Amino acid sequence: MENYLNTHYVIENTHYITDSWKSENTGKINYTVKILPNNKEFGQEINEIFKDGIPYEDVRTAAMFEIAERIMNELPEVNDTIHIDSVTWVSNINEFQVMLIQDYENS
């Protein structure tokens, strides 16, 4: 999954990691997608944009929201055995996170 995301949903200066589990109810594999910065400086820049509350005014963070929505909508159409639970910006595991999109109904 991570290779697919990094190839088909490129966001400059970032990479993806995922957590997955199989739903006993649906039989689908659920994924939590995390977008991480490739370097500390980029992570700090993006964190400040989110913390300032103006993510749609920056092209990088606005693109993250757009791509997050595409991931959630497109991947289950490509493979109907998967479900995307959420897509999150994570500056550093356990440091600063912003939920970009989440499937509230099926989470």
Side-chain angles (χ1 to χ4, degrees), residues 12-107:
E12 191 174 340
N13 294 313
T14 69
H15 64 281
Y16 296 93
I17 62 170
T18 59
D19 293 323
S20 64
W21 67 97
K22 187 170 185 172
S23 169
E24 297 300 323
N25 295 334
T26 66
K28 293 185 178 190
I29 299 174
N30 290 282
Y31 287 93
T32 298
V33 176
K34 297 177 183 178
I35 305 169
L36 283 82
N38 286 344
N39 60 63
K40 184 177 180 179
E41 294 78 22
F42 183 75
Q44 290 172 335
E45 287 177 32
I46 299 303
N47 287 357
E48 288 307 313
I49 293 165
F50 282 122
K51 287 178 181 178
D52 288 343
I54 54 168
Y56 291 104
E57 293 180 19
D58 185 275
V59 295
R60 298 168 297 180
T61 50
M64 284 184 198
F65 281 103
E66 185 269 325
I67 290 172
E69 186 172 354
R70 284 184 38 222
I71 289 169
M72 182 157 292
N73 293 329
E74 293 174 4
L75 285 180
E77 291 180 8
V78 171
N79 183 339
D80 65 358
T81 65
I82 66 169
H83 171 254
I84 306 300
D85 173 67
S86 62
V87 181
T88 305
W89 161 260
V90 181
S91 65
N92 187 336
I93 303 298
N94 302 324
E95 185 184 307
F96 179 77
Q97 299 185 33
V98 175
M99 179 75 65
L100 301 176
I101 191 166
Q102 183 174 13
D103 181 359
Y104 291 105
E105 291 180 16
N106 298 302
S107 294

